[in-house]
Amino acid sequence: MESVVLPTRAFVNGSYLQKFIDKPVTFIGSVLKVASDSKSITLQSTDDQVVTVHFHEPIDSSLDGWVEVHGYAKSKGTIGGESYYNLPSSITNDFEKQQFNETVALIYSLSNPLK
Amino acid sequence: MWGADTNDDGGGFNITMTQQSPATGSGMEPKQNTVMSVAISELLQSNEENKNTHVIVVGIIKQVEAQSLKNMFTIEDNTGRLVCIQWGDENELSRYPKLIENAYFKVVGSKRIQNEKVTLLCHSVRPLDSINELTHHLLSIIALPYQMEEVNMTSNAKLSITMTNHKEFPVNNDIGGGYMDSTNSLSLNPKQLKVYTVIKQCQDEAGYSASDIQKILPEKMSTTEIEKILSFFIEEGHIFSTIDENHYKVTDFGS
């Protein structure tokens, strides 16, 4: 176990994806559909856009609810996924999406350590 | 234990560090605790180890290693991965919230550097109650520089008031006026009297710290000497501490 600085991932929603093409991102969305080969999922972003995440390996096909995806922004609506984290309904049923969107906008309009 | 854990960190940070404002620069360590939200990279990029500063980290637990008398785990946010250590005997460890890999947790702790490696000594570790706490954490991090700026402006204003007061202080070599009478009754030696006079003249509710006093005193006095006089005053009940253990006001409000 060791503490390490990682290349900063950007918190994004649907509209900020295109500003981070080929850069590491963190994306939070709710599952709309898992593809039949289980290698990609369609998510609805916090700002109600549809984003597709492609993984190298098949993922849990019963994935449901909110998930956090770490990966690289590939285009306006696609992410190359590296890992995903299930966000249980116990912590997401009161998720204030609008607040999250405003926070994402603030992060990139101010100088701060999260950039 | 669980209840205590969830209550003690409340989420926000309070910028108490601000209160020792004019004291900075004199090399005096703030004794009070400060809690602030940080990105992990901020912790890893500085070599400072301030034991009085507690930090809040929100991230996903990646790896957990239970050992006897401690849990070690790594938590990851968007900027880095941090090794955390949670101490406790068997009993305590069993009562702590269970550490779950790949789940969001909030950790309050203080930074330690050992063999040039940064770890976090945990005071509170718990899973997020709501993902909104993540939003709150991000906002807290980006707000901090602005809050510090505001605080610095306020403390500069405070300092300039202090300096203005200073000119009006009858703390020159010839302490005169009726105001000596009240202090004389305390049987203070000349140095003690000067320090007492400065504290007594303070208009600020918060009182003065040793370094405030040092700045105001017309004659040079070492911080150690002032602190010695202050602890004498405390023992004798002439002064009391206010916003923290570094700021004092006189107990005698008469005259």
Side-chain angles (χ1 to χ4, degrees):
Chain A
M1 282 193 195
E2 203 162 347
S3 300
V4 282
V5 175
L6 300 170
T8 301
R9 284 190 308 267
F11 266 108
V12 290
N13 55 19
S15 26
Y16 276 83
L17 257 185
Q18 53 186 319
K19 297 193 198 308
F20 294 93
I21 303 293
D22 290 330
K23 300 218 170 82
V25 291
T26 295
F27 177 88
I28 294 178
S30 67
V31 178
L32 293 174
K33 199 180 80 182
V34 180
S36 54
D37 64 356
S38 294
K39 283 169 89 171
S40 66
I41 47 172
T42 315
L43 301 172
Q44 180 160 4
S45 67
T46 47
D47 54 345
D48 295 324
Q49 300 193 20
V50 175
V51 172
T52 308
V53 186
H54 300 285
F55 291 93
H56 295 297
E57 304 287 324
I59 60 156
D60 176 6
S61 59
S62 61
L63 195 65
D64 196 10
W66 288 93
V67 288
E68 176 170 313
V69 171
H70 298 173
Y72 287 82
K74 285 297 166 201
S75 76
K76 213 172 117 199
T78 50
I79 296 174
E82 308 226 302
S83 59
Y84 66 97
Y85 304 86
N86 188 31
L87 304 174
S89 62
S90 57
I91 66 165
T92 43
N93 54 18
D94 63 345
F95 188 19
E96 303 260 5
K97 294 185 280 180
Q98 195 45 40
Q99 256 179 26
F100 183 81
N101 292 333
E102 284 173 32
T103 304
V104 168
L106 266 176
I107 289 174
Y108 303 112
S109 64
L110 302 173
S111 65
N112 71 81
L114 289 167
K115 265 189 189 171
Chain B
M1 178 48 78
W2 163 251
D5 273 353
T6 43
N7 286 336
D8 66 358
D9 55 52
F13 41 72
N14 51 48
I15 311 194
T16 27
M17 62 171 95
T18 68
Q19 302 292 9
Q20 46 108 22
S21 46
T24 43
S26 76
M28 206 174 71
E29 285 250 333
K31 285 180 189 153
Q32 68 273 46
N33 291 329
T34 304
V35 185
M36 54 185 189
S37 299
V38 294
I40 288 175
S41 61
E42 292 179 270
L43 286 179
L44 301 181
Q45 279 157 357
S46 93
N47 287 322
E48 269 174 68
E49 186 189 51
N50 187 346
K51 292 194 166 134
N52 298 306
T53 304
H54 294 188
V55 294
I56 302 172
V57 171
V58 171
I60 294 173
I61 290 193
K62 300 293 273 195
Q63 202 184 348
V64 180
E65 206 177 289
Q67 299 177 1
S68 64
L69 301 180
K70 70 175 174 186
N71 285 330
M72 275 181 80
F73 60 95
T74 53
I75 190 163
E76 187 179 308
D77 71 6
N78 269 6
T79 66
R81 189 160 59 227
L82 180 66
V83 176
C84 302
I85 301 173
Q86 185 182 38
W87 292 96
D89 59 33
E90 233 171 77
N91 214 341
E92 285 167 322
L93 290 176
S94 67
R95 277 181 315 200
Y96 291 149
K98 192 176 173 347
L99 301 171
I100 307 160
E101 286 173 6
N102 297 325
Y104 258 110
F105 271 68
K106 173 171 176 168
V107 178
V108 183
S110 51
K111 179 179 164 180
R112 292 289 184 274
I113 303 175
Q114 272 177 334
N115 308 325
E116 293 176 24
K117 286 184 178 159
V118 176
T119 56
L120 193 75
L121 178 68
C122 300
H123 305 307
S124 156
V125 182
R126 64 164 177 87
L128 286 196
D129 291 330
S130 161
I131 198 71
N132 294 330
E133 288 185 88
L134 170 66
T135 313
H136 179 271
H137 182 69
L138 299 176
L139 286 172
S140 301
I141 293 173
I142 60 176
L144 193 60
Y146 298 93
Q147 285 168 321
M148 291 305 294
E149 206 172 291
E150 200 170 302
V151 154
N152 287 338
M153 274 161 62
T154 329
S155 57
N156 284 342
K158 189 174 154 192
L159 192 62
S160 70
I161 293 168
T162 318
M163 290 315 180
T164 329
N165 283 352
H166 167 182
K167 290 178 201 139
E168 294 153 18
F169 274 11
V171 281
N172 305 319
N173 287 332
D174 51 343
I175 291 175
Y179 131 99
M180 191 173 171
D181 299 335
S182 69
T183 41
N184 244 354
S185 62
L186 303 173
S187 328
L188 303 176
N189 70 31
K191 276 193 174 174
Q192 291 170 340
L193 186 56
K194 278 173 197 162
V195 174
Y196 187 84
T197 311
V198 170
I199 311 173
K200 185 160 179 152
Q201 285 290 302
C202 179
Q203 305 286 323
D204 193 327
E205 286 293 320
Y208 285 143
S209 69
S211 60
D212 296 336
I213 296 166
Q214 192 177 39
K215 288 196 183 94
I216 296 162
L217 279 172
E219 97 182 58
K220 258 201 173 333
M221 222 186 269
S222 70
T223 321
T224 339
E225 197 169 4
I226 295 172
E227 277 170 356
K228 212 171 129 192
I229 294 175
L230 289 176
S231 50
F232 165 76
F233 285 166
I234 288 266
E235 273 170 38
E236 293 292 311
H238 297 325
I239 59 170
F240 64 97
S241 56
T242 57
I243 49 165
D244 58 49
E245 51 190 308
N246 295 319
H247 285 73
Y248 306 99
K249 275 185 92 73
V250 296
T251 41
D252 173 24
F253 291 107
S255 64

